[in-house]
Amino acid sequence: MAVRTGPRVAVVGGGVFGVTAALHLARAGCAVTLYEQGADLLLGASNVNQRRLHRGYHYPRSPETAREVVEGVRTFVEEYSEAVVADQRHYMAIARTGSLTTAEQYLRFCDEVGLEYREEQPSFLRRRSVEVSLRVREYGLDVDTLRRICWRRLRRAGVNVRLRHRVALADLRDHDRVTLAAYAGLNHLARSIPGQGDEYQFEVCEKPVVRLPAPYRGTSVVVLDGPFLSVDPLANTDLFLVGNVTHAIHATTVGVLPLVPRAVAGLLDNGVHPPPAHSRFRAFVAAGREFFVGFEQARHDGSMFTVRSVLPYLDRTDARPTLVRQLDERTVSIFSGKIATCVDAARQAVRLVTGDGPAAPGRPPSSPGPVGFPAAPAGPGAAGRVALATGGTAP
């Protein structure tokens, strides 16, 4: 356990960004208390996501986001290698019609950013529906293992974890510094600071959990770049998570706080629910049949729900920057939509909180173009809606 020479710091939000910030602050000598409103760590958006460690391939219209994520994956793997699933096959495909990026543009983007690929197609992908299919270097994410790692390291670092604690800034006066990592719930705390409380785009999202035919086993496919879909294996199971840019979203709000339809409010951040009445699973299947052979055989085991938060008015570029900011003399906020950047964000937070935290090391992107893949990482307002107070972090 590190010697406590730094300030007393409260970290609010027990998702992967809050946990990682708490760990790095404790390692820097701070006396850290981590507050999470849920019954466990990593129950919010850190849990309800595609369980894929994004490595930049998703952002052909935002090379800056792609480069940030490339570096983020490197530092994430160094920190949490045991939670990285390296034995899955990952593919990116460009839709033949309706895509905002052509195959030529996508290949040029991969080359410019330094993203490895080779042209290859999974057996169940309909060739007539895509312009190009690429085997890419990405990893899956085992959230259950990640949660166990987080608990083990928090205990070892001496972080005081308080579950089922929903706090306001006024409750944290005994702390010298505060780090907010509450993702979609960030403004529930930040707006009590004069001049703070930015607008975000909040999306109430569904993640169906399904069973698929044998050819899908161990394979992740993302269809870009528009209102399309993805399938990803759920680690250590025979199940898959299905994403869809359009059908996954049950409600969208741009504002200071999210509004959630009452019909799904009780389902948020609460694990997998047996197929709920308000599920859009049939729409997912209808969309998937256009691209995937045998997708009509998908069996719906249930769905997870959460609130996703992104910066508004960025549809043209789909940028997903990670923002670590000083809100006032004692409060730092962390906002990000990509789990892979949690270590880099934590390092930035340490620098702001302590004034002399470790600098995040730089590293150029890996070599571009059609290549073989390196070895796996080493290591073990409206009627019928309610305002939501939420903690946790991003998908």
Side-chain angles (χ1 to χ4, degrees):
M1 186 182 300
V3 177
R4 304 300 174 214
T5 59
R8 295 167 298 174
V9 182
V11 177
V12 183
V16 69
F17 279 88
V19 168
T20 307
L23 285 171
H24 282 250
L25 286 163
R27 292 169 186 170
C30 300
V32 182
T33 301
L34 175 63
Y35 295 91
E36 163 56 38
Q37 69 176 11
D40 202 350
L41 302 174
L42 277 63
L43 290 184
S46 294
N47 182 56
V48 187
N49 57 73
Q50 287 299 124
R51 308 289 180 92
R52 188 191 316 113
L53 201 54
H54 289 286
R55 197 172 167 269
Y57 295 95
H58 297 67
Y59 302 105
R61 289 175 282 129
S62 180
E64 297 82 3
T65 300
R67 291 187 178 96
E68 180 181 67
V69 174
V70 168
E71 173 61 16
V73 168
R74 185 185 70 81
T75 57
F76 183 95
V77 171
E78 289 175 352
E79 183 79 44
Y80 297 119
S81 63
E82 296 167 69
V84 176
V85 182
D87 60 353
Q88 298 171 350
R89 297 175 297 278
H90 289 262
Y91 295 88
M92 296 284 164
I94 297 295
R96 189 171 294 278
T97 60
S99 175
L100 298 173
T101 302
T102 67
E104 181 181 357
Q105 291 169 333
Y106 189 70
L107 294 173
R108 187 185 312 124
F109 154 77
C110 290
D111 291 342
E112 290 175 353
V113 174
L115 299 175
E116 302 94 327
Y117 64 85
R118 63 171 176 254
E119 291 199 36
E120 182 179 309
Q121 179 180 331
S123 62
F124 54 84
L125 182 65
R126 297 187 191 277
R127 183 62 183 166
R128 61 177 170 78
S129 297
V130 300
E131 191 177 2
V132 69
S133 172
L134 305 178
R135 177 83 176 266
V136 300
R137 181 192 171 200
E138 283 205 321
Y139 304 121
L141 181 64
D142 185 341
V143 174
D144 293 332
T145 297
L146 180 60
R147 184 180 297 109
R148 290 192 293 271
I149 295 170
C150 289
W151 272 114
R152 185 171 69 242
R153 295 188 180 174
L154 288 168
R155 293 185 180 108
R156 185 184 305 153
V159 175
N160 180 15
V161 179
R162 298 188 180 180
L163 300 176
R164 298 186 177 89
H165 272 69
R166 180 176 294 178
V167 296
L169 287 181
D171 303 320
L172 305 174
R173 294 191 182 98
D174 290 342
H175 300 275
D176 303 309
R177 300 284 189 271
V178 177
T179 297
L180 305 180
Y183 189 48
L186 182 61
N187 279 334
H188 284 279
L189 297 105
R191 65 178 178 161
S192 64
I193 300 172
Q196 300 298 333
D198 295 331
E199 278 195 340
Y200 295 96
Q201 179 172 310
F202 301 101
E203 299 169 349
V204 180
C205 295
E206 176 183 3
K207 294 290 182 185
V209 178
V210 307
R211 298 181 186 274
L212 292 170
Y216 288 78
R217 186 167 297 137
T219 305
S220 163
V221 183
V222 180
V223 181
L224 295 170
D225 173 25
F228 306 121
L229 77 163
S230 60
V231 294
D232 292 278
L234 191 57
N236 302 314
T237 75
D238 293 328
L239 302 171
F240 291 79
L241 290 157
V242 182
N244 185 283
V245 171
T246 301
H247 302 308
I249 300 175
H250 285 244
T252 301
T253 309
V254 175
V256 176
L257 298 174
L259 294 176
V260 180
R262 292 186 185 278
V264 299
L267 305 178
L268 295 176
D269 301 334
N270 195 20
V272 180
H273 298 269
H278 298 279
S279 173
R280 295 181 175 173
F281 173 66
R282 290 184 179 179
F284 281 83
V285 172
R289 292 176 65 180
E290 178 183 352
F291 296 96
F292 300 143
V293 175
F295 202 69
E296 66 279 1
Q297 300 175 41
R299 290 170 47 199
H300 190 197
D301 267 34
S303 290
M304 300 187 289
F305 293 81
T306 195
V307 176
R308 180 169 61 195
S309 182
V310 299
L311 297 180
Y313 317 121
L314 293 180
D315 290 345
R316 185 179 65 83
T317 63
D318 198 33
R320 295 288 188 270
T322 296
L323 304 177
V324 182
R325 299 187 298 160
Q326 190 87 45
L327 301 186
D328 64 10
E329 65 278 1
R330 69 187 289 262
T331 310
V332 169
S333 70
I334 299 173
F335 179 82
S336 179
K338 294 304 159 197
I339 286 175
T341 63
C342 66
V343 175
D344 293 340
R347 290 171 174 170
Q348 293 178 53
V350 169
R351 291 198 296 272
L352 290 177
V353 170
T354 67
D356 59 356
R363 175 170 169 159
S366 51
S367 300
V371 296
F373 298 109
R385 300 190 178 195
V386 294
L388 172 73
T390 184
T393 51

